[in-house]
Amino acid sequence: MSNSFGHGGDWFSFQDESGQLPLDFSANISPLGVPYGVRAAICAAAEHADAYPDPECRELRAALSEHEGVPASQILCGAGAADLIWRAVLALRPRSACVMEPTFSEYRAALCAVGAEITPSLGPRTEMAFLCNPNNPTGELLSAASVRDYAARCRASGVVLLLDNCFLDFTDHPDPFPLEPGVLVLKAFTKLYGMAGIRLGYVMSTDEELLDRMAHMGPPWAVSTPAQAAGIAALKETDYVERVREIIREERPFLERELRSLGFLVVLGSANFLLFRSETPLEQPLRERGILIRNCGNFEGLDDKWYRTAVRTHEDNCRLIETLKEVIR
């Protein structure tokens, strides 16, 4: 089996004779790890692992309803954001879709699976559009007004918009998009709560019939009992979220300055990662020194001189910078 995994976070492929795990900058995950309350909830949920999980995630959706201020009937939970992206595409099966790249590769992957034409702008044949805000991998954050304008253009043309807000809560002033007809708002627990291994995301929409179709576009019991318990516990971790935001607020400018001082071209971002360009190959030399970084050569519109790094703790970020100095010396 060939390794065609096209995302960050693949530390399983890391080989180290000492048995040490790598310092992973390739995945944009909270640098604080899994919150204690979430870990406790996962352990407690194991007691009920002999029973099937609630297929409708009733308790989790009720908690999300209170957290997001939308009816529980307008929320669908899934096994991470990627699962819900694929379910949306399979439910709609658009003949043509708009994807402004470079952006998250699962949009294109899901669309190609149904044979959709992919275009960079809205056109007369467009039936679905994707908007990632802040965008991955560039970190570009669109204003609330810009998002509303784009959603209005989609709605006027009968285009279903999937608005990917998975990184929005890392920004200084997260501005949630109010649910409107024709819009799917996607969020996940993966990044902000450090729950990548749990696989939990959710999508919100006023189109409950579309959510029902999405629910049937994949296997049942998509969200395990431990994942449901973890999500409920995570929503109570308000102090943890503030600590994460504070770290990103302080460390992103520091990491940007240090990368620029080494001669890299850095794209100014608003999330918990930075995109930069290096004329010197970095991925393998860093891997040999125990650090993983994301090569962005498989993003449409970018080549293998582009890299994405997560923003981590100050200690971790300093180690990355010192190691980069060794590599480019």
Side-chain angles (χ1 to χ4, degrees), residues 28-31 64 67-68 132-135 139-142 163-177 185-194 200-202 204 234-235 237-249 252 270-273:
N28 311 316
I29 308 297
S30 163
L64 285 167
H67 180 75
E68 296 285 358
C132 188
N133 193 42
N135 185 45
E140 179 185 12
L141 176 67
L142 297 176
L163 177 60
D164 185 344
N165 281 351
C166 286
F167 290 102
L168 188 61
D169 288 331
F170 283 105
T171 62
D172 292 333
H173 303 287
D175 190 355
F177 182 82
V185 178
L186 179 67
K187 299 187 77 174
F189 290 83
T190 304
K191 314 295 185 181
L192 184 62
Y193 298 100
L200 180 61
Y202 59 100
M204 299 173 285
L235 295 176
E237 294 282 347
T238 53
D239 290 343
Y240 171 93
V241 170
E242 286 307 313
R243 292 201 306 274
V244 171
R245 286 178 179 159
E246 183 178 355
I247 289 173
I248 303 306
R249 190 181 303 120
R252 184 176 60 232
S270 299
N272 63 326
F273 55 86

Coordinates of all heavy atoms in Angstrom, one line a residue, residues 28-31 64 67-68 132-135 139-142 163-177 185-194 200-202 204 234-235 237-249 252 270-273:
N28 N -2.0 21.5 12.9 CA -2.4 22.8 13.5 C -3.3 22.5 14.7 O -4.5 22.8 14.7 CB -3.1 23.7 12.6 CG -2.3 23.9 11.3 OD1 -1.1 24.0 11.3 ND2 -3.0 23.8 10.2
I29 N -2.7 21.9 15.8 CA -3.5 21.5 16.9 C -3.1 22.3 18.1 O -2.0 22.8 18.2 CB -3.1 20.0 17.3 CG1 -3.3 19.1 16.0 CG2 -4.0 19.5 18.4 CD1 -4.7 19.1 15.5
S30 N -4.0 22.5 19.1 CA -3.8 23.2 20.3 C -2.4 22.7 20.9 O -2.2 21.5 21.1 CB -4.9 23.0 21.3 OG -4.5 23.3 22.6
P31 N -1.6 23.6 21.3 CA -0.3 23.2 21.9 C -0.4 22.8 23.3 O 0.6 22.3 23.9 CB 0.6 24.5 21.8 CG -0.4 25.6 21.8 CD -1.6 25.1 21.1
L64 N -24.3 21.4 22.1 CA -23.9 22.3 21.0 C -25.0 23.4 20.7 O -24.7 24.5 20.4 CB -23.6 21.5 19.8 CG -22.3 20.7 19.7 CD1 -22.3 19.7 18.6 CD2 -21.1 21.6 19.6
H67 N -24.5 26.0 23.2 CA -23.2 26.7 22.9 C -23.2 27.6 21.7 O -22.7 28.7 21.7 CB -22.1 25.6 22.7 CG -20.7 26.1 22.4 ND1 -19.9 26.7 23.4 CD2 -20.0 26.2 21.2 CE1 -18.8 27.1 22.8 NE2 -18.8 26.8 21.5
E68 N -23.9 27.1 20.6 CA -23.9 27.9 19.4 C -25.2 28.8 19.2 O -25.2 29.6 18.3 CB -23.9 26.9 18.2 CG -22.6 26.1 18.1 CD -21.4 27.0 17.6 OE1 -21.6 28.2 17.3 OE2 -20.3 26.4 17.5
C132 N -13.2 28.6 3.2 CA -12.5 28.3 4.5 C -12.0 29.6 5.1 O -11.3 30.4 4.5 CB -11.3 27.4 4.2 SG -10.4 26.7 5.6
N133 N -12.5 29.8 6.4 CA -12.2 31.1 7.0 C -11.9 30.9 8.5 O -12.8 30.6 9.3 CB -13.4 32.1 6.8 CG -13.1 33.5 7.2 OD1 -12.0 34.0 6.9 ND2 -14.0 34.1 7.9
P134 N -10.7 31.2 8.9 CA -9.5 31.5 8.2 C -9.1 30.4 7.2 O -9.3 29.2 7.6 CB -8.4 31.8 9.2 CG -9.1 31.9 10.5 CD -10.3 31.1 10.4
N135 N -8.5 30.7 6.1 CA -8.2 29.7 5.1 C -6.9 28.9 5.5 O -6.0 29.4 6.1 CB -7.9 30.4 3.8 CG -7.7 29.4 2.7 OD1 -8.4 28.5 2.5 ND2 -6.6 29.7 1.9
G139 N -4.0 31.1 6.1 CA -4.3 31.8 7.3 C -5.1 33.1 7.1 O -5.4 33.8 8.0
E140 N -5.5 33.3 5.8 CA -6.2 34.6 5.5 C -7.6 34.5 6.2 O -8.3 33.6 6.1 CB -6.4 34.7 4.0 CG -7.2 35.9 3.6 CD -7.5 36.0 2.1 OE1 -7.2 35.0 1.4 OE2 -7.9 37.1 1.7
L141 N -7.9 35.6 6.9 CA -9.2 35.8 7.6 C -10.0 36.8 6.8 O -9.6 38.0 6.7 CB -9.0 36.2 9.0 CG -10.2 36.5 9.8 CD1 -11.0 35.2 10.0 CD2 -9.9 37.1 11.2
L142 N -11.2 36.4 6.4 CA -12.1 37.3 5.7 C -13.0 38.0 6.8 O -13.3 37.4 7.8 CB -13.0 36.6 4.8 CG -12.3 35.9 3.6 CD1 -13.3 35.1 2.8 CD2 -11.6 36.9 2.7
L163 N -19.3 26.7 4.5 CA -18.4 27.7 5.2 C -17.6 26.9 6.3 O -18.2 26.5 7.3 CB -19.2 28.8 5.8 CG -18.5 29.9 6.6 CD1 -17.4 30.6 5.7 CD2 -19.4 30.9 7.2
D164 N -16.4 26.8 6.1 CA -15.5 26.0 7.0 C -14.9 27.0 8.0 O -14.0 27.7 7.7 CB -14.4 25.3 6.2 CG -13.5 24.4 7.0 OD1 -13.6 24.5 8.2 OD2 -12.8 23.6 6.4
N165 N -15.4 26.9 9.2 CA -15.0 27.8 10.3 C -14.1 27.0 11.3 O -14.1 27.4 12.5 CB -16.2 28.4 11.0 CG -16.7 29.6 10.2 OD1 -16.2 30.0 9.3 ND2 -17.9 30.1 10.7
C166 N -13.4 26.0 10.9 CA -12.7 25.1 11.9 C -11.6 25.9 12.6 O -11.2 25.5 13.7 CB -12.2 23.9 11.2 SG -13.4 22.7 10.8
F167 N -11.1 26.9 12.0 CA -10.0 27.7 12.7 C -10.4 29.0 13.2 O -9.6 29.8 13.7 CB -8.8 27.9 11.7 CG -8.1 26.6 11.3 CD1 -8.3 26.0 10.1 CD2 -7.2 26.1 12.2 CE1 -7.6 24.8 9.8 CE2 -6.5 24.9 11.9 CZ -6.7 24.3 10.7
L168 N -11.7 29.3 13.1 CA -12.2 30.7 13.4 C -12.0 31.0 14.9 O -11.7 32.1 15.3 CB -13.7 30.8 13.1 CG -14.3 32.2 13.2 CD1 -13.5 33.2 12.3 CD2 -15.7 32.2 12.9
D169 N -12.1 30.0 15.8 CA -12.0 30.2 17.2 C -10.6 30.5 17.7 O -10.4 30.8 18.8 CB -12.6 29.0 18.0 CG -14.1 29.0 17.9 OD1 -14.7 30.1 17.8 OD2 -14.7 27.9 17.9
F170 N -9.6 30.3 16.8 CA -8.3 30.7 17.2 C -8.0 32.2 17.0 O -7.0 32.7 17.4 CB -7.3 29.9 16.3 CG -7.1 28.5 16.7 CD1 -7.6 27.5 16.0 CD2 -6.3 28.2 17.8 CE1 -7.4 26.1 16.4 CE2 -6.1 26.9 18.2 CZ -6.7 25.8 17.5
T171 N -8.9 32.9 16.3 CA -8.7 34.3 15.9 C -9.0 35.2 17.1 O -9.7 34.8 18.1 CB -9.5 34.7 14.7 OG1 -10.9 34.6 15.1 CG2 -9.2 33.8 13.5
D172 N -8.5 36.4 17.1 CA -8.6 37.3 18.2 C -10.1 37.7 18.5 O -10.5 37.8 19.6 CB -7.8 38.6 18.0 CG -6.3 38.3 18.1 OD1 -5.9 37.3 18.8 OD2 -5.6 39.0 17.4
H173 N -10.8 37.8 17.4 CA -12.2 38.2 17.5 C -13.1 37.3 16.6 O -13.6 37.7 15.5 CB -12.4 39.7 17.1 CG -11.6 40.6 17.9 ND1 -11.8 41.0 19.2 CD2 -10.4 41.3 17.5 CE1 -10.9 41.8 19.6 NE2 -10.1 42.0 18.6
P174 N -13.3 36.1 17.1 CA -14.2 35.2 16.3 C -15.6 35.8 16.0 O -16.2 36.2 17.0 CB -14.2 33.9 17.1 CG -13.8 34.3 18.4 CD -12.9 35.5 18.3
D175 N -16.0 35.9 14.8 CA -17.3 36.5 14.4 C -18.1 35.4 13.8 O -18.0 35.1 12.6 CB -17.0 37.6 13.5 CG -18.3 38.4 13.3 OD1 -19.4 38.0 13.8 OD2 -18.3 39.5 12.6
P176 N -18.9 34.7 14.6 CA -19.7 33.6 14.0 C -20.7 34.0 12.9 O -21.2 35.1 13.0 CB -20.4 33.0 15.2 CG -20.5 34.1 16.2 CD -19.2 34.9 16.0
F177 N -20.9 33.2 11.9 CA -21.8 33.5 10.8 C -23.2 33.0 11.2 O -23.4 31.9 11.5 CB -21.3 32.8 9.6 CG -22.1 33.1 8.4 CD1 -21.9 34.3 7.6 CD2 -23.1 32.3 7.9 CE1 -22.7 34.6 6.5 CE2 -23.9 32.5 6.8 CZ -23.7 33.7 6.1
V185 N -22.5 25.6 7.9 CA -21.4 26.1 8.7 C -20.7 24.9 9.4 O -21.3 24.2 10.2 CB -21.8 27.1 9.7 CG1 -20.7 27.6 10.6 CG2 -22.5 28.3 9.0
L186 N -19.4 24.7 9.1 CA -18.7 23.6 9.5 C -17.7 23.9 10.7 O -17.0 24.9 10.5 CB -17.9 23.0 8.4 CG -17.0 21.7 8.7 CD1 -17.8 20.5 9.0 CD2 -16.1 21.5 7.5
K187 N -17.7 23.2 11.7 CA -16.8 23.4 12.8 C -16.3 22.0 13.3 O -16.9 21.0 13.0 CB -17.4 24.2 14.0 CG -17.8 25.6 13.5 CD -18.3 26.4 14.7 CE -17.1 26.9 15.5 NZ -17.6 27.9 16.6
A188 N -15.2 22.0 14.1 CA -14.7 20.7 14.6 C -14.0 20.9 16.0 O -13.6 22.0 16.3 CB -13.7 20.1 13.6
F189 N -13.9 19.9 16.7 CA -13.2 19.9 18.0 C -11.7 19.6 17.8 O -11.0 19.7 18.8 CB -13.8 18.8 19.0 CG -15.2 19.2 19.4 CD1 -16.3 18.9 18.7 CD2 -15.4 19.8 20.7 CE1 -17.6 19.2 19.1 CE2 -16.7 20.1 21.1 CZ -17.8 19.8 20.3
T190 N -11.4 19.2 16.7 CA -10.0 18.7 16.4 C -8.9 19.7 16.8 O -8.0 19.3 17.5 CB -9.9 18.4 14.8 OG1 -10.9 17.5 14.5 CG2 -8.5 17.9 14.5
K191 N -9.0 20.9 16.4 CA -7.9 21.8 16.5 C -7.9 22.5 17.8 O -6.9 22.5 18.6 CB -8.0 22.9 15.3 CG -8.2 22.3 14.0 CD -7.1 21.5 13.5 CE -7.4 21.0 12.0 NZ -6.4 20.1 11.5
L192 N -9.0 23.2 18.2 CA -9.0 24.1 19.3 C -8.8 23.3 20.6 O -8.2 23.8 21.6 CB -10.3 24.9 19.4 CG -10.4 25.9 20.5 CD1 -9.4 27.0 20.4 CD2 -11.8 26.5 20.5
Y193 N -9.4 22.1 20.7 CA -9.3 21.3 21.9 C -8.3 20.2 21.9 O -8.2 19.4 22.8 CB -10.7 20.7 22.2 CG -11.8 21.7 22.4 CD1 -12.7 22.1 21.4 CD2 -11.9 22.4 23.6 CE1 -13.7 23.0 21.6 CE2 -12.9 23.3 23.8 CZ -13.8 23.6 22.8 OH -14.8 24.6 23.0
G194 N -7.4 20.2 20.8 CA -6.4 19.1 20.7 C -7.0 17.7 20.6 O -6.4 16.8 21.2
L200 N -14.1 14.3 15.8 CA -15.4 14.9 16.1 C -15.6 16.3 15.5 O -14.8 17.1 15.7 CB -15.6 15.0 17.6 CG -16.9 15.6 18.1 CD1 -18.1 14.7 17.7 CD2 -17.0 15.7 19.6
G201 N -16.6 16.4 14.7 CA -17.0 17.7 14.1 C -18.5 17.8 14.0 O -19.2 16.9 14.3
Y202 N -18.9 19.0 13.6 CA -20.3 19.2 13.4 C -20.6 20.3 12.4 O -19.8 21.1 12.1 CB -21.0 19.6 14.7 CG -20.5 20.8 15.4 CD1 -21.2 22.0 15.3 CD2 -19.4 20.8 16.2 CE1 -20.8 23.2 16.0 CE2 -18.9 21.9 16.9 CZ -19.6 23.1 16.7 OH -19.2 24.2 17.4
M204 N -23.8 22.9 10.9 CA -25.1 23.6 11.2 C -25.7 24.1 9.9 O -25.0 24.7 9.1 CB -24.8 24.7 12.2 CG -24.2 24.3 13.5 SD -23.7 25.6 14.6 CE -22.3 26.2 13.8
A234 N -15.7 19.1 26.4 CA -14.9 20.2 25.8 C -15.6 21.5 25.8 O -15.0 22.6 26.1 CB -14.5 19.8 24.4
L235 N -16.9 21.5 25.6 CA -17.6 22.8 25.6 C -17.6 23.5 27.0 O -17.9 24.7 27.0 CB -19.1 22.5 25.2 CG -19.2 22.0 23.7 CD1 -20.7 21.6 23.5 CD2 -18.7 23.0 22.7
E237 N -14.8 23.7 28.7 CA -13.4 24.1 29.0 C -13.2 25.5 28.5 O -12.3 25.8 27.7 CB -12.5 23.1 28.2 CG -12.5 21.7 28.8 CD -11.8 21.6 30.1 OE1 -11.0 22.5 30.4 OE2 -11.9 20.5 30.8
T238 N -13.9 26.5 29.1 CA -13.8 27.9 28.6 C -12.4 28.5 29.0 O -11.8 29.3 28.3 CB -14.9 28.7 29.2 OG1 -14.9 28.6 30.7 CG2 -16.2 28.3 28.7
D239 N -11.9 28.1 30.2 CA -10.6 28.7 30.6 C -9.5 28.1 29.7 O -8.5 28.8 29.4 CB -10.3 28.3 32.1 CG -11.2 29.0 33.1 OD1 -11.8 30.1 32.7 OD2 -11.3 28.6 34.2
Y240 N -9.6 26.9 29.4 CA -8.6 26.2 28.5 C -8.6 27.0 27.2 O -7.5 27.3 26.6 CB -9.0 24.8 28.3 CG -8.2 24.0 27.2 CD1 -7.1 23.3 27.5 CD2 -8.6 24.1 25.9 CE1 -6.3 22.6 26.6 CE2 -7.9 23.4 24.9 CZ -6.8 22.7 25.2 OH -6.1 22.0 24.3
V241 N -9.8 27.3 26.6 CA -9.8 28.0 25.3 C -9.2 29.3 25.4 O -8.4 29.7 24.5 CB -11.3 28.1 24.9 CG1 -11.4 29.1 23.6 CG2 -11.9 26.7 24.5
E242 N -9.4 30.0 26.5 CA -8.7 31.4 26.6 C -7.2 31.3 26.7 O -6.5 32.1 26.2 CB -9.3 32.1 27.9 CG -10.7 32.6 27.7 CD -10.8 33.5 26.4 OE1 -10.0 34.4 26.2 OE2 -11.8 33.3 25.6
R243 N -6.7 30.2 27.4 CA -5.3 30.0 27.5 C -4.7 29.7 26.1 O -3.6 30.2 25.7 CB -4.9 28.9 28.4 CG -5.2 29.2 29.9 CD -4.4 28.3 30.8 NE -4.6 26.9 30.5 CZ -5.6 26.1 31.0 NH1 -6.5 26.7 31.8 NH2 -5.7 24.9 30.7
V244 N -5.4 28.9 25.3 CA -4.9 28.6 24.0 C -4.9 29.9 23.1 O -3.9 30.1 22.4 CB -5.8 27.5 23.3 CG1 -5.5 27.4 21.8 CG2 -5.7 26.2 24.0
R245 N -5.9 30.6 23.2 CA -6.0 31.9 22.4 C -4.8 32.8 22.8 O -4.2 33.5 22.0 CB -7.3 32.6 22.5 CG -8.5 31.9 21.8 CD -9.8 32.6 22.0 NE -10.9 32.0 21.3 CZ -12.1 32.1 21.7 NH1 -12.5 32.9 22.7 NH2 -13.1 31.5 21.0
E246 N -4.6 32.9 24.1 CA -3.5 33.8 24.6 C -2.1 33.3 24.0 O -1.3 34.2 23.6 CB -3.5 33.8 26.1 CG -2.5 34.7 26.7 CD -2.5 34.8 28.2 OE1 -3.4 34.1 28.8 OE2 -1.6 35.4 28.8
I247 N -1.9 32.0 24.0 CA -0.6 31.5 23.5 C -0.5 31.9 22.0 O 0.5 32.4 21.6 CB -0.5 30.0 23.7 CG1 -0.3 29.7 25.1 CG2 0.6 29.4 22.8 CD1 -0.4 28.2 25.4
I248 N -1.5 31.7 21.2 CA -1.5 32.0 19.8 C -1.3 33.5 19.6 O -0.5 33.9 18.7 CB -2.8 31.5 19.1 CG1 -3.0 29.9 19.3 CG2 -2.7 31.8 17.6 CD1 -1.8 29.1 18.9
R249 N -2.0 34.3 20.4 CA -1.9 35.7 20.2 C -0.5 36.2 20.5 O 0.0 37.1 19.8 CB -2.9 36.3 21.3 CG -3.1 37.8 21.1 CD -4.1 38.4 22.1 NE -5.3 37.7 22.1 CZ -5.8 37.0 23.1 NH1 -5.2 36.9 24.3 NH2 -7.0 36.4 23.0
R252 N 2.3 33.7 17.7 CA 2.2 33.9 16.2 C 3.1 35.0 15.8 O 3.9 34.9 14.8 CB 0.8 34.0 15.7 CG 0.7 34.0 14.2 CD -0.8 34.1 13.7 NE -1.5 35.2 14.3 CZ -2.6 35.2 14.9 NH1 -3.2 34.1 15.1 NH2 -3.2 36.3 15.3
S270 N -3.9 34.6 10.4 CA -4.7 35.0 11.6 C -5.1 33.8 12.4 O -5.8 33.9 13.4 CB -6.0 35.7 11.1 OG -5.8 36.9 10.4
A271 N -4.6 32.6 12.1 CA -4.9 31.4 12.8 C -3.8 30.9 13.6 O -2.8 31.6 13.9 CB -5.5 30.3 11.8
N272 N -3.7 29.6 13.9 CA -2.7 29.0 14.7 C -1.6 28.4 13.9 O -1.0 27.4 14.3 CB -3.2 28.0 15.7 CG -3.9 26.8 15.0 OD1 -4.5 27.0 13.9 ND2 -3.8 25.7 15.6
F273 N -1.3 28.9 12.7 CA -0.3 28.4 11.8 C 0.2 29.5 10.9 O -0.5 30.6 10.8 CB -0.8 27.2 11.0 CG -2.1 27.5 10.2 CD1 -2.0 28.1 8.9 CD2 -3.4 27.2 10.7 CE1 -3.2 28.4 8.2 CE2 -4.5 27.5 10.0 CZ -4.4 28.1 8.7

